[in-house]
Amino acid sequence: MLLSRTKSKIWIHNNNSPNFSCSSFKDINTLFSDDSDYNSPVSTTTTKKPNIFHRVLRVNAVLRAFSTRPAPESTTPKSIQIPAAEKKIVIYFTSLRVIRSTFDDCKAVRSILSSFRVSVDERDVSMDAGFMEELKTILGTRVKTKLSLPRVFIGGSYVGGAAEIIQLHEAGELKKYVEGLTPAEFSTCEVCGGNRFVLCEECSGSQKCYSEKSGFRTCTVCNENGLIRCPSCYYPIL
């Protein structure tokens, strides 16, 4: 009778060995190994590595160091004041629909300001480019700098653009800014009909003037649209 030879399997468990049989667990062994393992004769030639608890302590120390740093100083610009506007609102805006978002912002801000029934001086930069130059002078910006619209001044002080006005209005704080301002006049100007501009009398809006001596020349009275600001209802700030 033939006897089949079977291989006996003997499992040997070494309590002194911290390593798993699978090489993929070598990182886990390293993290959970005791400090005594690094002091063993086998590891005398290697640099001692901190265990996981030391790493956690170091991370917490770094986080505490960043959290205790002083907050940066506020970069809020100084208040901007304009003369001859202490009792009214001045808004620089555009009525052109070239940029839809800008037009919508200007329309929304004008609607909010008009609801308080106070005096609002509306200055349309699309009607006269001089308004934009005036605004840049007030804000102290460079000539070639492009400014977003609208820009609002209340009681002679600069408040901000569309985002600031809408935020103040939704929070109920805007009404505090307009308290004490001159009430709005519901009568329409008989000269310009409320448009704030009239046709230039020198060139009749053509921007060209003719004389027998020099022929045609560019009109120096009106703006780029052949208009002049209404002498009856417009009062310059600068």
Side-chain angles (χ1 to χ4, degrees):
M1 179 183 294
L2 296 177
L3 297 176
S4 60
R5 181 180 297 178
T6 59
K7 294 182 180 180
S8 62
K9 296 181 180 180
I10 301 175
W11 295 90
I12 300 175
H13 179 70
N14 187 1
N15 294 328
N16 297 326
S17 177
N19 297 327
F20 291 95
S21 60
C22 181
S23 61
S24 61
F25 292 99
K26 60 181 180 180
D27 293 335
I28 299 178
N29 292 329
T30 304
L31 292 176
F32 288 93
S33 60
D34 296 331
D35 293 341
S36 59
D37 294 342
Y38 293 101
N39 296 327
S40 60
V42 179
S43 60
T44 54
T45 58
T46 60
T47 304
K48 183 178 179 180
K49 299 181 181 179
N51 58 23
I52 187 172
F53 302 104
H54 293 166
R55 296 177 186 177
V56 172
L57 292 176
R58 290 180 182 178
V59 172
N60 291 335
V62 173
L63 293 177
R64 286 194 298 269
F66 277 99
S67 62
T68 56
R69 287 186 176 182
E73 297 182 359
S74 176
T75 57
T76 304
K78 297 180 180 180
S79 59
I80 301 174
Q81 300 287 332
I82 56 177
E86 292 80 7
K87 292 295 183 179
K88 62 181 179 180
I89 299 175
V90 179
I91 174 175
Y92 292 86
F93 72 102
T94 178
S95 58
L96 293 180
R97 301 173 182 261
V98 177
I99 303 177
R100 184 73 186 194
S101 58
T102 301
F103 174 78
D104 291 340
D105 288 342
C106 293
K107 184 178 179 181
V109 171
R110 291 175 64 196
S111 178
I112 292 174
L113 297 178
S114 62
S115 65
F116 290 99
R117 300 181 182 275
V118 295
S119 179
V120 180
D121 187 352
E122 297 183 343
R123 308 202 165 188
D124 191 352
V125 300
S126 62
M127 295 290 290
D128 191 346
F131 284 145
M132 179 59 74
E133 302 303 324
E134 182 179 284
L135 177 60
K136 291 180 179 180
T137 302
I138 295 172
L139 297 179
T141 58
R142 297 179 180 179
V143 177
K144 296 183 179 180
T145 303
K146 293 184 178 179
L147 296 177
S148 60
L149 296 173
R151 297 298 178 104
V152 180
F153 297 81
I154 301 179
S157 300
Y158 176 65
V159 178
E164 290 78 8
I165 297 299
I166 294 174
Q167 182 178 3
L168 288 173
H169 180 60
E170 292 178 349
E173 298 292 332
L174 189 58
K175 60 182 179 181
K176 298 179 181 180
Y177 284 77
V178 301
E179 291 179 354
L181 299 183
T182 304
E185 297 182 0
F186 296 99
S187 59
T188 304
C189 178
E190 297 179 356
V191 178
C192 65
N195 295 318
R196 309 298 301 277
F197 288 90
V198 295
L199 199 64
C200 179
E201 296 179 355
E202 295 291 330
C203 64
S204 299
S206 63
Q207 298 182 289
K208 296 293 183 180
C209 295
Y210 175 80
S211 64
E212 295 181 357
K213 183 177 180 180
S214 57
F216 286 98
R217 60 179 178 85
T218 303
C219 181
T220 58
V221 178
C222 60
N223 60 16
E224 68 277 6
N225 297 317
L227 303 173
I228 61 173
R229 298 172 186 178
C230 178
S232 177
C233 62
Y234 173 75
Y235 301 96
I237 292 177
L238 300 177

